[in-house]
Amino acid sequence: MGATVLLTGGAGYIGSHTLVALRAAGHDAVLLDDFSNARGDVPDRLARITGAPVTVWRGDVRDRALLARLFAAHRFDAVIHFAALKAVGESVERPLDYIDVNVTGLVALAQAMRAAGVFRLVFSSTATVYGTPEAWPIPEDAALRHESPYAFTKLTCEEALRQAAAADPRWQVGILRYFNPVGAHESALIGEDPQQPPNNLVPYIGEVALGRRPALRVFGNDWPTPDGTGLRDYIHVEDLAEGHLRSLEHLLAGRGGHVVNLGTGQGTSVLEMLAAYERAVGRALPHEIAPRRPGDVAVLVADPSRAAALLGFRARRTIDAMCASAWAFVSRRATGG
Ligand code: UDP
């Protein structure tokens, strides 16, 4: 029988795709979301994709009274915690807000879980916990350092969970360090839908393709990489969602906590990503070379071997599939679909 899973931030970009993956595997989920960075129609869209209504609790993960009611109303086998603030640049301006939402949110959730006797937790972490890496591909045992308040919050949450698990062996925690999630569900009904102007590469190229921005600014072409632009490990969000399913099932099978990278192991440059998006759109898109963006690094690529060995997880989808699905989603959204 399938598990019942609480997805905090479940209406967001990665949470929504994970709900689809869970249901396809015979599990079910309840969403907790405050809709601060998700559209109100996401639950209806999820119901259309999966063929069944979705239970949604609207609220803030820091709201302890709400959490107590939620855990009293449902018997959860596990929790996947996505709800968090995630813009690195914004975190530099609003560190206390990031610490409050991300760290206080995790602590409130974990305490509510403990009170309800739920000890399986999959946690959304990030490759930014590696800071500026010394070498790549990056294995999970590489040095960790925070170079932004955002990275600090994720590293603090990871450490809090490590300490909780060391103190109480009932905790089974899967920590998933995401590289660069992009793309959208094949239905084009859900995808990355930021409520603020996008800073990330693929949503920004989407804006250029829609004619809302004049040109992509390529942040530096003098990096020590083959074409001089930054290399990242882009992972299709549907692959990423499957990574969550594997992590969850590993915990449900009692095989223990883990820390794994979710990436492909392949580096793709800014110009290669732009070219893939141009193939998806079917025309050239304007770009210009701009100065390097503060805080960027040349290369960020995962060593995906632990995820393969431990969870049997391998990302399968190509860069072209990522860009085609991203474009299908944003172009449909732009016409009201
Ligand atoms: N990038 C760019 N122009 C943009 C946004 C991003 O050239 O408008 C580059 C950025 O410098 C990095 C890569 O695209 O090399 C991925 O950036 P993104 O913000 O998507 O993810 P990050 O790796 O910073 O988390």
Side-chain angles (χ1 to χ4, degrees), residues 108-141:
L109 175 68
Q111 289 179 325
M113 288 176 65
R114 188 181 56 191
V118 180
F119 289 97
R120 297 186 194 98
L121 175 64
V122 176
F123 178 68
S124 288
S125 192
T126 163
T128 55
V129 298
Y130 297 118
T132 305
E134 277 141 26
W136 59 276
I138 311 167
E140 290 83 354
D141 56 8

Side-chain angles (χ1 to χ4, degrees), residues 180 199-201 216-219 230 232 234 270 293 296:
N180 288 61
N199 297 311
N200 294 114
L201 179 65
L216 172 70
R217 284 170 304 144
V218 176
F219 295 141
R232 293 291 180 277
Y234 298 95
V270 177
R293 183 172 65 175
D296 266 352

Side-chain angles (χ1 to χ4, degrees), residues 24-287:
H27 304 296
D28 205 7
V30 171
L31 309 189
L32 170 66
D33 207 298
D34 68 358
F35 292 87
S36 60
N37 194 29
R39 299 224 190 181
D41 64 358
V42 168
D44 289 342
R45 288 165 179 257
L46 289 170
R48 277 170 68 189
I49 293 169
T50 64
V54 179
T55 304
V56 181
W57 286 58
R58 180 181 279 268
D60 191 307
V61 73
R62 292 166 296 179
D63 182 341
R64 288 167 184 271
L66 174 74
L67 290 174
R69 290 200 302 280
L70 176 59
F71 280 91
H74 301 275
R75 276 202 66 80
F76 294 118
D77 299 293
V79 177
I80 308 181
H81 181 41
F82 298 102
L85 299 176
K86 63 171 184 178
V88 175
E90 186 184 59
S91 79
V92 177
E93 275 133 46
R94 298 171 47 202
L96 294 176
D97 294 338
Y98 270 67
I99 292 165
D100 188 18
V101 173
N102 294 5
V103 181
T104 313
L106 171 77
V107 173
L109 175 68
Q111 289 179 325
M113 288 176 65
R114 188 181 56 191
V118 180
F119 289 97
R120 297 186 194 98
L121 175 64
V122 176
F123 178 68
S124 288
S125 192
T126 163
T128 55
V129 298
Y130 297 118
T132 305
E134 277 141 26
W136 59 276
I138 311 167
E140 290 83 354
D141 56 8
L144 303 177
R145 56 176 84 83
H146 54 81
E147 294 175 357
S148 69
Y150 170 69
F152 170 76
T153 65
K154 289 291 177 178
L155 211 43
T156 303
C157 289
E158 284 196 11
E159 185 57 28
L161 291 170
R162 263 192 289 276
Q163 293 188 15
D168 183 342
R170 289 177 295 176
W171 281 107
Q172 302 287 306
V173 179
I175 290 174
L176 306 183
R177 294 184 181 146
Y178 310 160
F179 280 69
N180 288 61
V182 297
H185 187 257
E186 60 182 5
S187 65
L189 285 169
I190 54 170
E192 187 167 15
D193 208 0
Q195 305 291 290
Q196 286 163 9
N199 297 311
N200 294 114
L201 179 65
V202 171
Y204 200 96
I205 298 175
E207 296 270 290
V208 175
L210 290 171
R212 293 178 182 159
R213 313 262 163 184
L216 172 70
R217 284 170 304 144
V218 176
F219 295 141
N221 66 349
D222 55 354
W223 295 98
T225 60
D227 69 12
T229 67
L231 288 189
R232 293 291 180 277
D233 186 337
Y234 298 95
I235 176 169
H236 195 300
V237 67
E238 289 195 82
D239 280 329
L240 192 75
E242 283 171 24
H244 289 74
L245 173 66
R246 296 300 177 93
S247 171
L248 171 75
E249 291 187 336
H250 193 86
L251 298 183
L252 291 170
R255 298 216 295 273
H258 46 272
V259 180
V260 300
N261 289 334
L262 293 182
T264 65
Q266 301 294 318
T268 301
S269 76
V270 177
L271 293 178
E272 287 170 336
M273 210 60 187
L274 177 63
Y277 212 105
E278 289 175 335
R279 286 194 290 278
V281 178
R283 63 188 153 85
L285 299 172
H287 74 275

